[in-house]
Amino acid sequence: MDGTPRPPPTPEEEEDPVTPPPPSRTLTTVVHAAFFLLLGSSVARFLLRHPGEPRTPWIIALSITLALLYVLGPTTARATGKAKTTATATATGKAEPTPRHLTWLALVVTTWVVLVVLAPSFAWCAVPLFYTALRTLPPRAAVVLVALLTAFVVAAQLKLATAFDPNLLLAPPAVAALATAVFVHMERQTQAQRTLIDDLIRTRRELAATERREGTLAERQRLSMEIHDTLAQNLSSQQMLLQAAERTWDAEPATARAHVRTATDIAARGLAEARRLVHDLAPSELADGVPLTEALRGLDAGPEVTVRFHLEGAPVPLPARTQSALLRIAQGALANVREHSGARTAALTLSFLGDQVVLDIADDGRGFPAPATASAAPAPGRSDRGHGLPAMRARVRQLGGTLTVESTPSEGTVLSAALPLTPSPTALESPR
């Protein structure tokens, strides 16, 4: 979709493939019960109508054999379930029958045929065998076997009849056709359900992969903003201070030492921030319950810029995400003031306005001709500084707020971030 490589399937997905649902347990139970009921009634009918005949032991022996063979069906079916499926079997959702299973089915059908030849009253035991054939064989082979079984049933019924009866000729094919149609319809429904389940599982996996990718990208963006607003800005300040100290080392040693001490303090704060990022990625300035107002009051923009903090309105408790975003925006804005504006003073104003909290950062620097936007091209010499305002906009957007920048050449810049005190549902769903 977006060109990002899809993650490999999890071990659970590899080891738990989608398997076709087993036949209805109720239907299977009914078919088995019907087979033994028809077999038992056929034996009883034969014994009542043909007592003491020489073929009676054979009929009883074949009936017992047929019953035992039928009971062995589930064992053979389990062996079939372990067989390797072919492409056709996968498409139809039916495992390819093994030679063992085919042999079992052949023995059942052969025993039944012999029984029907010796005693035509056993013909109706074929009805449950229709289901067995349709469940075991591929569709075409199953239909052929059902047709053969039906022909034996018709022949047996005509043999038992004392006169020609059209029902005996038409009823068995009608029953066979009905049983086959019902079974085929159920198989198609099962296949449709199987296809739907496969689609749902595949869609779920694709959605999970997409969510993982989006979560990873969002977390990367958040980390990049955290690093830019803290470690990168601290390193930039240290570089400027150390360069200033190097320029004044011989002429003004006291000033140079002051620059070095300030750089040392910034390095200590950067180290604490790095440890905090590793620990829980929360601003170190807000650790141990430090209020946002105190954290903002303690910010600076270097030795050449005077920073003043103002509080307007009655402070109210803010969510941790809101406090962190406001602090990071203030840090990023003051870093821009220090590096790009040439300002001498900057003012931080935190205002609680009932339904929102607003942070204004104003400076008396050189300003710029047009409002900065996330897509604006960087100014000359600032090609590596284009992440500040986009990062601020991203933070504000995640919390459902707005960020505005107003600037006029030679008259300074005002950056304003307004965040709602009650986050919108979209903001609640945004990643940290």
Side-chain angles (χ1 to χ4, degrees):
M1 289 180 290
D2 56 2
T4 306
R6 291 183 57 184
T10 61
E12 293 78 5
E13 293 172 343
E14 292 179 345
E15 297 175 3
D16 186 23
V18 179
T19 56
S24 171
R25 198 171 283 183
T26 302
L27 176 60
T28 303
T29 302
V30 170
V31 170
H32 292 343
F35 175 81
F36 288 107
L37 182 62
L38 290 172
L39 181 62
S41 63
S42 299
V43 172
R45 183 180 184 277
F46 178 83
L47 294 177
L48 290 174
R49 296 202 175 188
H50 308 280
E53 289 193 4
R55 56 178 174 165
T56 300
W58 289 101
I59 297 297
I60 295 175
L62 288 172
S63 299
I64 295 175
T65 302
L66 182 59
L68 292 176
L69 286 173
Y70 196 85
V71 169
L72 292 176
T75 303
T76 313
R78 283 195 294 270
T80 302
K82 299 178 182 178
K84 181 179 179 180
T85 57
T86 62
T88 304
T90 302
T92 59
K94 184 188 297 182
E96 184 179 4
T98 62
R100 180 179 178 182
H101 203 184
L102 292 175
T103 302
W104 166 82
L105 182 60
L107 289 174
V108 170
V109 173
T110 302
T111 304
W112 173 81
V113 169
V114 174
L115 268 175
V116 172
V117 171
L118 294 177
S121 58
F122 285 85
W124 285 108
C125 292
V127 176
L129 294 182
F130 293 164
Y131 172 77
T132 302
L134 291 168
R135 186 164 56 95
T136 303
L137 298 176
R140 292 184 179 180
V143 171
V144 171
L145 181 57
V146 168
L148 292 176
L149 295 177
T150 305
F152 270 94
V153 172
V154 171
Q157 294 301 306
L158 292 176
K159 185 177 179 181
L160 289 175
T162 57
F164 177 76
D165 187 349
N167 285 335
L168 300 179
L169 184 64
L170 300 177
V175 172
L178 179 61
T180 302
V182 170
F183 183 85
V184 170
H185 178 69
M186 292 176 57
E187 282 289 295
R188 289 178 178 175
Q189 284 189 326
T190 301
Q191 180 61 27
Q193 292 177 355
R194 185 184 300 112
T195 302
L196 178 60
I197 291 173
D198 290 344
D199 290 342
L200 290 175
I201 292 177
R202 183 172 59 255
T203 302
R204 182 185 65 184
R205 291 175 181 173
E206 292 176 353
L207 179 60
T210 301
E211 290 177 347
R212 286 196 296 271
R213 288 196 299 270
E214 292 179 351
T216 300
L217 293 175
E219 185 65 10
R220 287 177 179 175
Q221 181 185 22
R222 187 177 73 87
L223 287 176
S224 67
M225 292 188 298
E226 295 284 345
I227 294 173
H228 173 273
D229 292 343
T230 57
L231 301 181
Q233 302 294 358
N234 286 340
L235 290 173
S236 176
S237 299
Q238 294 173 54
Q239 182 184 34
M240 294 177 61
L241 289 168
L242 293 176
Q243 289 173 347
E246 183 181 13
R247 289 193 301 268
T248 60
W249 191 266
D250 296 327
E252 301 178 27
T255 302
R257 284 193 292 272
H259 288 328
V260 171
R261 284 194 296 270
T262 304
T264 302
D265 293 339
I266 294 176
R269 291 200 299 270
L271 178 60
E273 184 64 36
R275 289 171 176 169
R276 177 64 61 177
L277 285 173
V278 171
H279 182 263
D280 59 0
L281 299 178
S284 58
E285 292 86 352
L286 298 175
D288 302 324
V290 175
L292 175 63
T293 53
E294 295 302 319
L296 293 175
R297 199 183 305 274
L299 296 180
D300 64 74
E304 298 179 356
V305 182
T306 301
V307 179
R308 298 184 178 88
F309 174 76
H310 305 280
L311 176 63
E312 296 184 359
V316 298
L318 298 176
R321 291 185 61 195
T322 302
Q323 296 186 56
S324 177
L326 292 173
L327 179 61
R328 295 306 190 205
I329 291 171
Q331 290 174 325
L334 291 178
N336 288 339
V337 170
R338 178 180 63 248
E339 297 182 26
H340 309 305
S341 71
R344 305 299 299 175
T345 60
L348 292 177
T349 304
L350 182 65
S351 305
F352 291 88
L353 304 178
D355 60 344
Q356 63 179 351
V357 57
V358 180
L359 176 65
D360 297 311
I361 303 97
D363 67 72
D364 59 357
R366 63 177 64 95
F368 48 87
T373 63
S375 60
R382 293 170 54 186
S383 59
D384 61 339
R385 301 300 181 193
H387 190 70
L389 280 175
M392 296 180 198
R393 294 186 190 280
R395 289 183 186 279
V396 171
R397 184 169 57 251
Q398 289 174 1
L399 294 175
T402 58
L403 180 74
T404 57
V405 181
E406 299 178 358
S407 183
T408 303
S410 303
E411 295 185 9
T413 303
V414 177
L415 182 147
S416 179
L419 300 179
L421 293 180
T422 303
S424 63
T426 302
L428 292 175
E429 296 174 0
S430 302
R432 285 187 59 188

